[in-house]
Every structure is written in C-alpha cells, then in structure tokens.
C-alpha cells in the first residue's frame, strides 16, 4: 500500500499546509521515515513537497524545519517589490503590448530572484535521489504548465518501475527534479517570471491542471491525503448585494481561485463519487476492468483566507501595500483574496500555520483511522 501526499498550489496560502504537516507529525507516532511514499506538489505546494521528499528519512524534523522557514518569511525573501521594481516591471509589461515581448526575457510583475536563493539554501535536491535509492521515497511529482504546448506536465523522479504517461493535455515525464522545476511550478502567470525547461517555458502548475490527484495515481498511490488551500467548504457563501463594479483585485482573485482551488475541489468530489460507485462492483469485475478504489483523506481550511489576509496587508512593504490598495486588494468582498496569495509575511504565515495545525488536530481520529494506526 502506497500512500500519497498531494499539496496544491496557492502562493502564500501554502503556509496552511505546513500547519497541517505539523499536526500530522504530532498525531502520527514518532518515526523517522515519512508516512508518504509518494509526494506530489503544485505551485507553492511543490516547494513543500520537494523539501519533504529530500528529507523523507526525517519526517517530524522536516515538519519543524518547514514551520521555521515559513514562520520567518518576509516579502523580500520571495520577490523584489520596491517602488522601483514595480515601476520597471510595469513599464516592461506595458511596452510588451506594443513590441510583442522582449526576446528571451520572461515578463512578470515581480522578480522572484530572492525565492531562487531561498530555495537553494534550504533544499538539498541531491538527497531526493538518495531517499529513492534507500527506499524511503517511491516518487516525487512536480507539475507545471508549458506555455508553448499548453500541456500540464508532471515531472517525476522515482523508482525505475515508474513509467511515463499521456492523457488529454496531461503528461507525466521522468526527470531529475531541480530548483528550476520548483520555480517553474510556482511561477504565477504575469506575477512571477516563467522558467525555461528542456524545450519551452513553464509556468504555474495549477493552470490547466484539471486533475490534480491524477499524477499520484499514475505513480502508484493506493490512498491519498490531500491538503487543500480553499476557503471554508463547510460555510455557505453569502451572496451579498453589490453596488460597485468589481475591482482589478477581485477579478484577479477569481482567476487565481479558479486555478488553485476549483480543480482540486472538483477532483476530490469526483474521486469520492468514483469510490462510491466502485463499492457496488464485485472485486473480480474491478480487476477485469483494471479499476480499484482509492482511499481518500482531505484536509481543508476552516478559515476564510480573505479575512485573514485583509488583517495583514499592512504588514507588506510600503510599495506592495500601495500596489494592493491601488488594485483593490485591501478590501473585503473578494479583493483581499488576491493579497492572500502574495502575502509572504511572517505574521500572516504564522496565523495560517496555526489554522492548519488546529484543523489537523480536529481530524485526529480520521487521520489515525486512515493511516491504520490504533
């Protein structure tokens, strides 16, 4: 039985995943080996996934390291966002509308050079192969979108038994995961610069990832743990009366939500429905059809990211706070949702970690039952 951990994208919201991992590390009896043989990550979730994979022989310690890393984050550690940087990048973006781009230089509002340095310091990519060789890890999958092909490509590093796959606009390829793969998967379109891998430029893996759980199944998962970054799925959304037209931040927030949240929620719902249907099919018939039920444990936030982000926008540097205010990302009603993806500030991340930790503890019995631990 192979258990897969699936970490979705969501920019700064991925701090919530760290809180859940902290809870899992406490709930699961102490063991150096990771309980997840397969780890799949997309966007910011790919960063957490790569660190877990590189330290598959010390799960509890890695959870602590992730908490320390995210708790100490500041905007300057992830991207350059001074007034000069915003003016320079904004000018390039505007000029590209008339010049068709600037050759080989990727266009983006923010420069992610600090993120490159941060990841290079904290992730030992050579250990991924070592963990696979020792049998502590079966596979690591990182997903990104190819801007030329339009294909959602999962780059996979794992055991020799793993085979590449191809579905409609979804491809799994065997590769050695590097820093460039993480930067590509986390490159939110127009926000962070695309990364060149192999034959084309790649961007955020959440874009066009219609089936986020699929890579884990192709890699051989029998059961999956999904840590999402959506809003509170238990509270119905109130449709308030709106008098003003949507701000740019509200529009961008919905685009980001559709990429980072909708596909995962739909895939979880589809897998649950598939398992219910398959439970009525005899085991012999399941084998004949080459179908099998996949156990699922989904941990979703009980908080509203918009509300939390609105409180912490003031923690951003003056330049980014001014930018957020200009596009309407400092207000409730959907605008602050955009800020929730770019708020790489310590106080915000600490609050998300605490929320993830609490949600994991609230599902302690479900987690123990799922992991078959008495």
């Amino acid at each position: 039985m192979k258990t897969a951990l699936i970490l979705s994208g969501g920019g700064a919201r991925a701090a919530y995943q760290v809180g859940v991992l902290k809870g899992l590390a406490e709930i699961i009896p102490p063991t150096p080996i990771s309980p997840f043989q397969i780890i799949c990550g997309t966007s910011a979730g790919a960063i957490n996934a790569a660190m877990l994979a590189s330290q598959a022989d010390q799960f509890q310690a890695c959870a602590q390291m992730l908490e320390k890393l995210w708790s100490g984050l500041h905007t300057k550690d992830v991207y350059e966002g001074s007034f000069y940087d915003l003016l320079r990048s904004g000018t390039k973006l505007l000029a590209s509308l008339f010049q068709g781009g600037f050759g080989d230089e990727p266009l983006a509002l923010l420069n992610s050079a600090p993120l490159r340095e941060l990841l290079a310091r904290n992730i030992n990519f050579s250990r991924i192969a070592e963990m696979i060789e020792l049998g502590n890890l079966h596979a690591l999958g990182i997903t990104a979108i190819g801007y030329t092909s339009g294909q959602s490509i999962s780059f996979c590093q794992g055991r020799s038994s793993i085979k590449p796959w191809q579905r409609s606009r979804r491809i799994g390829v065997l590769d050695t995961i590097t820093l460039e793969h993480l930067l590509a998967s986390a490159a939110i379109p127009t926000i962070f610069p695309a990364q060149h891998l192999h034959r084309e430029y790649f961007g955020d893996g959440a874009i066009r990832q219609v089936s986020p759980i699929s890579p884990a199944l192709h890699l051989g998962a029998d059961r999956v743990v999904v840590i999402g970054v959506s809003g509170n799925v238990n509270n119905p959304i109130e449709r308030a009366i709106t008098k003003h037209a949507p701000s740019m931040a509200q529009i961008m927030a919905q685009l980001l939500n559709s990429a980072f949240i909708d596909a995962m929620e739909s895939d979880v719902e589809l897998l649950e429905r598939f398992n219910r249907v398959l439970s009525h099919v005899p085991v012999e018939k399941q084998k004949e059809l080459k179908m099998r039920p996949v156990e699922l444990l989904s941990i979703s936030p009980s908080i509203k990211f918009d509300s939390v982000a609105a409180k912490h926008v003031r923690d951003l540097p003056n330049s980014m706070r001014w930018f957020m205010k200009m596009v309407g990302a400092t207000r409730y009603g959907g605008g602050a949702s955009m800020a929730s993806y770019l708020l790489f500030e310590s106080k915000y991340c600490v609050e998300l970690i605490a929320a993830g930790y609490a949600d994991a503890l609230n599902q302690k019995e479900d987690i123990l039952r799922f992991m078959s631990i008495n």
Side-chain angles (χ1 to χ4, degrees):
M1 294 287 289
K2 295 184 181 65
T3 303
L5 175 65
I6 302 177
L7 302 174
S8 60
R13 290 188 179 196
Y16 171 85
Q17 299 171 351
V18 176
V20 175
L21 291 170
K22 176 184 177 181
L24 290 174
E26 290 189 13
I27 294 171
I28 298 173
T31 172
I33 307 302
S34 172
F36 306 107
Q37 295 77 43
I38 298 171
I39 304 176
C40 295
T42 302
S43 191
I47 295 173
N48 292 334
M51 182 167 287
L52 286 169
S54 68
Q55 300 186 46
D57 58 341
Q58 42 187 343
F59 178 67
Q60 274 79 11
C62 185
Q64 294 176 357
M65 291 181 64
L66 280 169
E67 181 184 14
K68 181 179 179 180
L69 175 64
W70 281 87
S71 297
L73 271 187
H74 293 285
T75 298
K76 61 182 178 61
D77 299 319
V78 180
Y79 56 81
E80 297 175 354
S82 67
F83 284 109
Y84 172 75
D85 293 321
L86 292 174
L87 178 61
R88 180 182 58 181
S89 58
T91 301
K92 287 184 177 181
L93 285 172
L94 182 61
S96 70
L97 298 177
F98 303 97
Q99 299 181 16
F102 283 90
D104 296 332
E105 182 180 358
L107 294 169
L109 179 64
L110 303 172
N111 184 350
S112 60
L115 178 61
R116 173 183 289 273
E117 297 177 4
L118 179 71
L119 298 182
R121 290 196 307 269
N122 288 278
I123 302 179
N124 186 347
F125 290 91
S126 64
R127 291 199 88 237
I128 298 175
E130 182 181 341
M131 293 298 98
I132 295 171
E133 182 67 25
L134 291 174
N136 298 329
L137 178 70
H138 181 73
L140 168 65
I142 303 297
T143 301
I145 176 72
Y147 280 123
T148 301
S149 65
Q151 294 173 325
S152 177
I153 298 182
S154 295
F155 298 96
C156 306
Q157 183 175 355
R159 305 290 291 180
S160 58
S161 58
I162 295 173
K163 305 297 181 185
W165 67 87
Q166 183 167 358
R167 298 292 185 270
S168 176
R169 293 198 177 278
R170 291 185 287 121
I171 293 178
V173 299
L174 307 183
D175 204 355
T176 299
I177 302 300
T178 65
L179 176 58
E180 277 63 36
H181 291 85
L182 300 191
L183 292 172
S185 184
I188 302 175
T190 71
I191 303 296
F192 295 129
Q195 299 293 317
H196 194 271
L197 289 170
H198 303 294
R199 295 171 295 183
E200 60 182 319
Y201 278 94
F202 284 86
D204 199 297
I207 308 301
R208 303 195 77 170
Q209 191 182 28
V210 295
S211 185
I213 299 178
S214 176
L217 302 183
H218 282 291
L219 291 172
D222 300 290
R223 51 187 183 178
V224 295
V225 176
V226 176
I227 304 179
V229 292
S230 64
N232 189 339
V233 296
N234 297 316
N235 293 336
I237 299 175
E238 298 180 2
R239 300 186 64 185
I241 298 176
T242 304
K243 296 182 180 180
H244 300 285
S247 66
M248 181 60 68
Q250 285 179 292
I251 296 173
M252 284 297 299
Q254 294 306 323
L255 291 174
L256 292 174
N257 289 341
S258 67
F260 294 119
I261 297 174
D262 295 352
M264 180 60 78
E265 290 184 344
S266 298
D267 216 21
V268 167
E269 182 180 349
L270 181 62
L271 181 56
E272 291 174 336
R273 188 180 307 165
F274 173 80
N275 284 338
R276 287 196 298 269
V277 171
L278 205 59
S279 66
H280 298 286
V281 179
V283 176
E284 295 76 13
K285 192 64 175 179
Q286 293 181 21
K287 294 179 180 179
E288 180 183 338
L289 297 173
K290 295 182 179 180
M291 293 183 176
R292 56 187 170 85
V294 178
E295 294 182 62
L296 170 68
L297 175 64
S298 178
I299 302 176
S300 299
S302 59
I303 59 172
K304 293 183 177 180
F305 284 99
D306 297 31
S307 302
V308 179
K311 294 189 303 180
H312 292 286
V313 170
R314 63 178 180 270
D315 298 328
L316 287 167
N318 291 335
S319 55
M320 287 303 299
R321 191 163 64 247
W322 169 82
F323 172 76
M324 292 294 178
K325 184 177 182 179
M326 289 292 293
V327 299
T330 59
R331 300 194 301 266
Y332 292 97
S337 184
M338 175 183 172
S340 71
Y341 291 101
L342 299 175
L343 233 168
F344 293 95
E345 288 294 332
S346 176
K347 293 180 180 179
Y348 174 70
C349 292
V350 167
E351 187 165 346
L352 296 192
I353 291 172
Y357 177 69
D359 288 342
L361 294 186
N362 287 335
Q363 290 188 241
K364 179 177 179 179
E365 296 304 320
D366 293 334
I367 293 170
L368 290 174
R369 190 181 307 112
F370 181 85
M371 303 299 292
S372 300
I373 299 172
N374 298 318

